[in-house]
């Protein structure tokens, strides 16, 4: 039996584990509403997004693409996870039965399963994307630099700025463009590895300002000493109370587009990120709500751009959707879904 | 803390550490540019640009949210002492007021 087959045999686990994991974190989640509450405007485009996404996947399958390749078109497993709740909300507008909706959710979760070595919903508190062999091949021990207080501060400053940077560009849905995975252990190495991958720093199709950045992708690999970390389904990393990443960093490397950065280059990248972030933030703040909603639609469509690239089709938001947003209204009733409402929605929807 | 230090606010610990410094209340992204090194930043809401303020400040007090509020996550990443859910704390604080933030215990003291 293939090591992953137990998920397929007992496929109900995929969906139920997902539900449990989401509910566990929803109480603690930050309820971010900058620059506009996604729940108040998603009804203007999410149904159409779902319809296209399902069609795109169908076309990929028709063209003979294997499930793993379809999953890869989403770039990271976290992107699929982050799309799932809005996706479910959109499915309800398409008139599908509960069984069919559950089937669609299960399919997307099976793509996550294809892309990850570990539990698709991080039920064990770990986000294990890489297999031991992949980990061995990726971590070049010679790349790792020993950390001191100064370098630890610098590396974690970069982590913080990158977080804020992707939030500025992708709003609440910045989880679409980052994957925090681990903790990993490496034989013969005393420490827990955490990978912070930022996979889309220059989405020039969304923000031309981002072209000023020197890199498209950043990976921060950090080995922490005796730090018990857990990673939830939305890739939030928790550490024991009283501990900090700064004091626990043992060694690290920062890799951007294949290049290992020196401390001076990390510092320079922090400055570049701040500059681009300020300029995009200023632009967003000047937008009317309809334009902010359109930007959200752009972000959703952009998240499946690779699928469209493979299919050799235009990825952009259809004009009809833009019109719908322009002539639509903000929904006050859908603002800030409570824990109880989310629970009911997940029980009844799929 | 000595008897001269009164507790003026409570919250939940997000990122540990104890620091003393002047308060800087940040309400708009523009306020971020007025933060001096050593200031303790106080926010009522979260905005991605506030992260640039966190970078310059010595500590962060967040009136709302919790450990997964984005600005709190940023402070945790950067190792800046931080508490969240310090309800109505801005009513007790003014810019320039000297306070002590015991982020390990989730407590704010005057002086």
């Amino acid at each position: 039996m293939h090591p992953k087959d137990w998920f397929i045999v007992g496929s109900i686990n995929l969906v139920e584990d997902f539900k449990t994991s989401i509910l566990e974190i929803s109480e603690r989640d930050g309820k971010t509403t900058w620059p506009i509450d996604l729940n108040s405007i998603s009804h203007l485009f999410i149904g159409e997004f779902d319809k296209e996404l399902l069609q795109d996947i169908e076309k990929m399958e028709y063209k003979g693409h294997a499930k793993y390749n379809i999953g890869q078109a989403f770039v990271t497993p976290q992107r699929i996870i982050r799309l799932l709740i809005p996706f479910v909300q959109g499915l309800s507008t398409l008139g599908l039965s509960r069984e069919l909706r559950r089937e669609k959710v299960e399919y997307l979760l099976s793509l996550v399963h294809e892309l990850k070595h570990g539990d698709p919903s991080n039920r064990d508190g770990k986000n294990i994307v890489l297999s031991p062999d992949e980990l061995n091949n990726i971590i070049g021990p010679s790349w790792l630099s020993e950390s001191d207080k100064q370098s630890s501060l610098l590396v974690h400053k970069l982590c913080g700025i990158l977080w804020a940077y992707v939030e500025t560009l992708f709003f609440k849905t910045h989880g679409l463009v980052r994957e925090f995975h681990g903790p990993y252990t490496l034989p013969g190495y005393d420490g827990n590895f955490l990978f912070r991958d930022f996979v889309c720093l220059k989405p020039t199709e969304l923000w031309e300002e981002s072209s000023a950045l020197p890199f498209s992708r950043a990976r921060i690999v950090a080995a922490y000493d005796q730090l018990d970390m857990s990673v939830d389904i939305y890739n939030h990393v928790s550490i024991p109370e009283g501990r900090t990443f700064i004091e626990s960093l043992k060694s690290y490397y920062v890799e951007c587009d294949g290049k290992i950065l020196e401390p001076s280059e990390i510092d320079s990248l922090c400055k570049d990120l701040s500059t681009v972030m300020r300029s995009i933030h200023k632009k967003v703040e000047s937008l009317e709500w309809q334009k902010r909603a359109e930007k959200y639609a752009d972000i959703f469509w952009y998240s499946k751009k690779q699928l469209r690239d493979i299919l050799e089709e235009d990825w952009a938001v259809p004009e009809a959707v833009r019109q719908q947003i322009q002539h639509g209204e903000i929904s006050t009733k859908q603002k800030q879904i409570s824990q109880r409402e989310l629970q009911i929605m997940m029980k009844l929807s799929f | 803390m000595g008897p001269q230090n009164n507790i003026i606010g409570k919250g939940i610990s997000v990122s540990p550490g104890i620091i003393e410094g002047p308060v800087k209340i940040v309400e708009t992204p523009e306020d971020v540019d007025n933060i001096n090194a050593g200031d303790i930043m106080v926010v009522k809401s979260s905005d991605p640009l506030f992260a640039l303020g966190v970078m310059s400040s010595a500590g962060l007090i967040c009136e709302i949210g919790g450990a997964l509020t984005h600005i709190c996550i940023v402070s945790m990443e950067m190792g800046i002492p931080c508490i969240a859910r310090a309800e109505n704390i801005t009513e007790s604080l003014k810019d320039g007021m000297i306070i002590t933030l015991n982020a390990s215990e989730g407590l704010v003291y005057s002086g």
Side-chain angles (χ1 to χ4, degrees), chain A residues 28-30 32 34 156-157 159-161 163-164 167-168 174 180 196 236-237 242-246 274 277-278 281, chain B residues 13 15-16 29 32-33 46-52 55 65-71 73-74 76-79 104:
Chain A
R28 299 187 295 130
D29 207 3
T32 300
W34 185 88
H156 290 97
K157 181 170 101 170
C159 295
I161 292 182
W163 181 288
E167 187 187 356
T168 307
H174 57 93
F180 287 6
R196 295 173 175 92
H236 300 118
V237 184
R243 300 291 305 275
T244 68
F245 289 121
I246 304 272
S274 304
M277 198 173 133
R278 278 180 189 274
H281 188 279
Chain B
S13 172
S15 179
V32 161
D33 295 325
S46 185
D47 180 301
L49 215 63
F50 289 174
L52 301 181
M55 206 165 76
L68 300 186
T69 299
H70 291 176
I71 187 94
I73 292 175
V74 169
M76 195 172 100
E77 286 280 21
M78 293 183 179
S104 306

Side-chain angles (χ1 to χ4, degrees), chain A residues 137-184:
Chain A
N137 292 334
I138 285 175
I139 296 185
S142 59
W143 294 355
L144 288 165
S145 298
E146 289 298 312
S147 169
D148 55 21
K149 182 78 187 285
Q150 191 81 357
S151 58
S152 183
L153 284 168
L154 182 62
V155 167
H156 290 97
K157 181 170 101 170
L158 176 65
C159 295
I161 292 182
L162 278 167
W163 181 288
Y165 177 83
V166 292
E167 187 187 356
T168 307
L169 273 63
F170 292 90
F171 309 164
K172 184 185 179 179
T173 46
H174 57 93
L176 296 170
V177 292
R178 58 173 179 77
E179 182 89 33
F180 287 6
H181 49 119
Y184 297 103

